[in-house]
Amino acid sequence: MKPEWFYPSAGSHSEQWRRVVGLEDRYEVSDLGRVRSIRTRQLRKLMRIGRRNLVALSNGRTAKVRRVDALVRDAFGTNPG
């Protein structure tokens, strides 16, 4: 079983999804910090290093590790905290 911080639950909040900036044709990020593939709708596994959640995203040729808080900020125009 994954820790609670790994995939937060929506609770009474309606989760909103937006395209990941720079990878709009491949991934979406939610306002809860979850990342999923557009094609398969599967959630990407998050890595936790220190206090940061990270996710590996591929453009089809190369993969890069990105900070989830930066993906949320870029997609929603807000600072998640």
Side-chain angles (χ1 to χ4, degrees):
M1 185 169 181
K2 300 264 187 237
E4 185 177 321
W5 57 262
F6 217 81
Y7 294 116
S9 64
S12 62
H13 173 73
S14 177
E15 190 170 15
Q16 296 179 24
W17 293 88
R18 295 206 183 148
R19 302 286 174 110
V20 170
V21 175
L23 295 168
E24 290 87 352
D25 58 333
R26 292 187 172 264
Y27 300 102
E28 293 178 316
V29 63
S30 82
D31 56 345
L32 295 178
R34 302 193 306 173
V35 181
R36 69 182 179 192
S37 166
I38 290 175
R39 186 174 58 84
T40 65
R41 294 287 191 229
Q42 286 186 323
L43 292 174
R44 301 292 297 173
K45 289 184 180 180
L46 300 180
M47 300 172 275
R48 187 157 176 115
I49 298 178
R51 297 180 66 199
R52 299 280 186 203
N53 287 329
L54 307 171
V55 64
L57 301 178
S58 171
N59 65 6
R61 285 179 254 148
T62 60
K64 289 187 178 182
V65 175
R66 308 269 306 267
R67 289 176 32 193
V68 175
D69 63 320
L71 297 177
V72 172
R73 182 191 63 232
D74 293 345
F76 290 90
T78 61
N79 187 356

